[in-house]
Amino acid sequence: MIWNEKYECMSIEERKKLQLERLKFILGYAYERIPFYKQSFDKQGIKPSDLKQLSDLSKFPTVTKIDLRDNYPFGLFAQPLENIQRLHASSGTTGKPIVAGYTRNDIDTWAEVIARTLACGDCGKKDVVQNAYGYGLFTGGLGIHYGAEKIGATVIPISGGN
């Protein structure tokens, strides 16, 4: 089942063009707004404008779990806290928790992506989704919930319990 014809039915060339546009944008956005990324890119001797084709992405530094912990709690946020609608975090059992902040747009995008995923499995308005993912600070449960609601399915949020 097709959920979003514009994106799901575009040609490979169109998809690659869109991916390149979005990667250029997000690399520049991160470089300008998040000191960690500016320092990381500068240390590697690379600028966002060096992304000319998709394969150039391999030239950019990656982020490790240690980087996520070293920037606890909000050091990797590209938006000020007042624009963050929801916070999720790991338990921190093996170190500092990993924190993720979501804007309203992030949550809307997340719901759209999960709706597309569910539609691939032919899930729709006539279906019931029993969501057994956790609804705590783990992000998976809410993502499935949002996507199932967006697609019009009935959601049974059971989660895990004590």
Side-chain angles (χ1 to χ4, degrees), residues 44-108:
Q44 194 107 357
I46 197 159
K47 301 280 186 214
S49 59
D50 292 332
L51 185 79
K52 306 287 187 205
Q53 55 193 13
L54 291 175
S55 61
D56 291 336
L57 187 60
S58 65
K59 299 174 185 175
F60 287 82
T62 58
V63 178
T64 68
K65 192 167 190 173
I66 292 169
D67 295 328
L68 298 173
R69 286 183 173 152
D70 287 349
N71 287 280
Y72 174 86
F74 310 126
L76 294 179
F77 284 18
Q79 288 285 318
L81 199 52
E82 62 264 18
N83 293 343
I84 302 299
Q85 187 169 30
R86 178 160 303 121
L87 288 171
H88 290 262
S90 68
S91 64
T93 55
T94 61
K96 288 181 187 170
I98 306 300
V99 179
Y102 297 92
T103 64
R104 175 77 255 160
N105 186 61
D106 294 331
I107 292 169
D108 292 343

Side-chain angles (χ1 to χ4, degrees), residues 13-70:
E13 294 79 25
E14 290 173 309
R15 183 174 297 117
K16 286 181 178 180
K17 181 180 177 192
L18 179 63
Q19 288 171 334
L20 185 60
E21 287 173 12
R22 288 181 174 181
L23 280 168
K24 285 179 177 182
F25 171 78
I26 201 65
L27 289 173
Y29 191 83
Y31 186 83
E32 295 299 324
R33 291 177 172 249
I34 306 169
F36 168 82
Y37 286 105
K38 182 172 184 351
Q39 293 166 3
S40 209
F41 288 15
D42 289 350
K43 184 178 177 183
Q44 194 107 357
I46 197 159
K47 301 280 186 214
S49 59
D50 292 332
L51 185 79
K52 306 287 187 205
Q53 55 193 13
L54 291 175
S55 61
D56 291 336
L57 187 60
S58 65
K59 299 174 185 175
F60 287 82
T62 58
V63 178
T64 68
K65 192 167 190 173
I66 292 169
D67 295 328
L68 298 173
R69 286 183 173 152
D70 287 349

